[in-house]
Amino acid sequence: MVIRVIDLVSGGNTNDQGDIVRQALLRALADSPQPVIVSFSGFTSVTSSFVNSAFVELLDCMSLDQIKAKIRFVNSNRQINDMIRTRLTREATGAFLAA
């Protein structure tokens, strides 16, 4: 299953936009035994607020390893990839150290 972010939101800037993407992603993950592909076609950047709401909050219901196994990102660039990787890694590591 492919989720095209541009079909859901007009930008990758706000928590509200991230919430919309996260909800679509959770539905897709529940419906698909295969990894879900998230396409950033049409986007040149995303903010940490967007990434926190769209992807980091997934750590509440799955581990970082599960996220890596179940979600693939395509049509993204270095800024988007770095933002997602950095925020997920920091939060997963911080949550682990705090536990």
Side-chain angles (χ1 to χ4, degrees):
M1 174 176 277
V2 177
I3 294 176
R4 289 176 25 102
V5 176
I6 202 159
D7 290 343
L8 301 173
V9 294
S10 61
N13 307 308
T14 68
N15 288 322
D16 289 340
Q17 291 167 327
D19 287 339
I20 292 167
V21 172
R22 186 182 71 256
Q23 292 303 318
L25 189 51
L26 288 170
R27 285 190 300 274
L29 288 166
D31 293 340
S32 177
Q34 301 297 323
V36 175
I37 298 168
V38 178
S39 172
F40 281 97
S41 180
F43 285 81
T44 57
S45 65
V46 295
T47 66
S48 59
S49 295
F50 174 84
V51 170
N52 289 342
S53 294
F55 307 111
V56 173
E57 287 189 23
L58 293 173
L59 290 168
D60 291 340
C61 60
M62 57 184 17
S63 71
L64 181 57
D65 288 337
Q66 289 173 313
I67 291 171
K68 288 178 180 180
K70 295 182 179 189
I71 303 170
R72 300 280 184 258
F73 300 101
V74 299
N75 302 315
S76 58
N77 60 32
R78 181 181 219 153
Q79 187 275 335
I80 295 170
N81 293 338
D82 287 348
M83 179 66 71
I84 294 169
R85 181 177 45 253
T86 300
R87 291 299 307 128
L88 280 170
T89 302
R90 279 188 193 160
E91 190 63 28
T93 304
F96 177 77
L97 293 175

